[in-house]
Amino acid sequence: MPRTARQDAMPSSSRRTDAAVAAAAALVGFGNSWVKPSNGLLTGAPTVTVAVLSGAVGLLLWWRHKRTVVIGWLVVICHLLLFTPTALAIALYTVGSTYPNRWRLLAWFAGVGCLSDAGALWLGGAWDFRGAAYSLALVVGPLVVGYAVALRRDLAAAAQTELATREREHVLLVEQARVNERSRIARDMHDVVAHRVGHIVLLAAALRVGAGRADQKVADDAEQIRHEGRRALEELRAILGVLTPDRADRPTPRTPHGGAGDLDDLVRSARRAGLHAVLSVEGEPGRLPTLVQQALYRTLQESLTNAAKYAPGAEVGIELRCGPDTVDLTVSNGPASGPPADELPSGGNGLLGLNERASLLGGELTAGPHGEGFRVELHLPLAPPGTE
């Protein structure tokens, strides 16, 4: 399609370039006609008039990108009357670079331009074989150069478009690979982890019904195991729903436990596991943003799990302070009063995941030995990224 972009929409650098080109062509046209009075033979006008008109033809090039075809024909006609080769070459170059796919238009400009230049040379008495070659080069040369420039420009644009398309395809392929991997992980978690946890829940229920009749403590412990197992299954199914959100045949997963209201449940579970946990709360954690509440829940959950694993029977102090701009959670445990639970497996990724969660919320998590025990401190702003 033809390029007819308005000059006032062009960048200021392009407008300045067009102004410089037009001024240069005007000066060359004026000087050429002043030095060679024969340039105005067809008009019969005085040399001064011809020189001024030749300069005006050069100034027409200021609008060469706004009205390319009109300016081109005007320059071709004026070349026959006034002999303005510089303005003609620039105008024809602009036509060739603007309309590289309109062969008929380019042919008309080439033919009429050659006739106009030949007529100007013949009237000036310079028509011969060399004059014909000059006429052909003056007209066809700028058209060919302009066409070559436009072709290169279009090829570069096509290459950029192809590159952008390939990049989008690559991104889509990577995203599809991620979706497939998440789906595979979700299937493995469902087939292995969910099955094992479900089996534990069933065994705990059977223990509560069977052995619990003779020992109430066994029944209470079995009920606690069954309760924790059911909560683990609920959270696992919610995570599976996040990993495979494209399953249209599955209902929307329930939001997993993890709010500020569940902190007391974690403390009670820790006490049943043998820890002497005490929770101290300042402020109203229930009004915190959802992501902050989940971060507090996961941090306390991981801290209590590690304390039960590596310092069974220890005293655990939990301090939660909800200020006007920040929230701080500190979990400190003392030395163990019994042997560590070595039979519990450890992946070593719990604190790493908590650190990443805190960073995403704009906060900071520190963990390390403290006296004879261990301390975990979480500091979060109350307006973390993505919560507003």
Side-chain angles (χ1 to χ4, degrees):
M1 294 181 65
R3 300 176 178 85
T4 58
R6 296 183 60 86
Q7 189 177 23
D8 53 8
M10 296 172 59
S12 58
S13 59
S14 297
R15 291 197 297 268
R16 288 194 297 267
T17 300
D18 285 346
V21 170
L27 290 176
V28 172
F30 179 86
N32 188 43
S33 297
W34 184 270
V35 173
K36 296 181 179 180
S38 60
N39 290 348
L41 287 178
L42 187 60
T43 61
T47 300
V48 176
T49 303
V50 173
V52 172
L53 292 176
S54 298
V57 173
L59 294 178
L60 288 176
L61 298 177
W62 165 259
W63 295 277
R64 62 194 179 102
H65 286 114
K66 182 179 180 181
R67 295 288 186 268
T68 304
V69 176
V70 174
I71 298 301
W73 286 126
L74 286 176
V75 173
V76 169
I77 296 172
C78 291
H79 178 69
L80 174 63
L81 302 175
L82 304 170
F83 192 73
T84 54
T86 302
L88 178 66
I90 296 174
L92 293 179
Y93 167 83
T94 306
V95 172
S97 62
T98 306
Y99 302 100
N101 298 322
R102 296 183 60 177
W103 296 99
R104 183 175 298 179
L105 177 65
L106 297 181
W108 271 104
F109 266 102
V112 177
C114 286
L115 292 177
S116 175
D117 189 65
L121 291 175
W122 180 74
L123 290 174
W127 177 253
D128 53 15
F129 180 77
R130 292 179 59 185
Y134 170 82
S135 177
L136 183 64
L138 179 64
V139 175
V140 178
L143 284 172
V144 172
V145 173
Y147 171 80
V149 171
L151 182 62
R152 181 179 179 181
R153 180 182 60 234
D154 292 344
L155 289 177
Q160 289 292 336
T161 302
E162 179 67 18
L163 180 61
T165 302
R166 294 293 180 87
E167 290 179 351
R168 288 194 296 269
E169 291 177 353
H170 176 72
V171 171
L172 291 176
L173 290 175
V174 171
E175 183 62 26
Q176 184 62 41
R178 290 176 179 173
V179 172
N180 294 338
E181 181 65 14
R182 288 198 298 265
S183 299
R184 185 191 65 79
I185 294 174
R187 289 193 300 268
D188 291 343
M189 292 178 64
H190 178 270
D191 295 340
V192 179
V193 181
H195 173 73
R196 293 294 185 184
V197 176
H199 190 58
I200 291 173
V201 172
L202 294 177
L203 290 177
L207 178 63
R208 182 184 55 135
V209 174
R213 295 175 180 176
D215 192 332
Q216 184 61 36
K217 186 178 185 307
V218 172
D220 294 340
D221 292 342
E223 174 60 22
Q224 179 63 23
I225 295 173
R226 188 189 71 85
H227 175 71
E228 293 295 332
R230 286 182 60 86
R231 291 188 61 173
L233 280 177
E234 291 177 0
E235 294 187 4
L236 180 59
R237 291 193 177 104
I239 295 174
L240 296 180
V242 173
L243 289 174
T244 55
D246 55 338
R247 286 274 304 276
D249 57 338
R250 184 187 58 247
T252 303
R254 295 174 55 188
T255 302
H257 298 278
D262 298 313
L263 299 181
D264 290 332
D265 292 339
L266 287 177
V267 175
R268 283 192 291 268
S269 298
R271 292 170 181 167
R272 294 189 188 99
L275 294 175
H276 302 284
V278 178
L279 173 63
S280 173
V281 179
E282 296 182 8
E284 300 181 13
R287 295 185 177 183
L288 298 175
T290 301
L291 293 180
V292 174
Q293 293 190 40
Q294 292 178 354
L296 294 173
Y297 179 87
R298 296 303 177 190
T299 302
L300 180 58
Q301 184 183 50
E302 180 68 19
S303 301
L304 292 176
T305 300
N306 288 338
K309 184 188 302 184
Y310 301 111
E315 295 184 358
V316 182
I318 307 165
E319 297 181 1
L320 176 60
R321 297 178 296 276
C322 304
D325 301 318
T326 60
V327 59
D328 295 277
L329 174 67
T330 303
V331 183
S332 303
N333 65 267
S337 62
D342 295 333
E343 69 275 7
L344 293 177
S346 175
N349 295 320
L351 292 178
L352 179 61
L354 294 179
N355 211 336
E356 293 177 352
R357 184 190 293 267
S359 298
L360 290 174
L361 295 177
E364 182 182 6
L365 182 135
T366 57
H370 179 71
E372 298 182 2
F374 198 84
R375 171 178 288 182
V376 177
E377 295 181 344
L378 176 65
H379 174 80
L380 295 175
L382 288 185
T387 59
E388 296 183 352

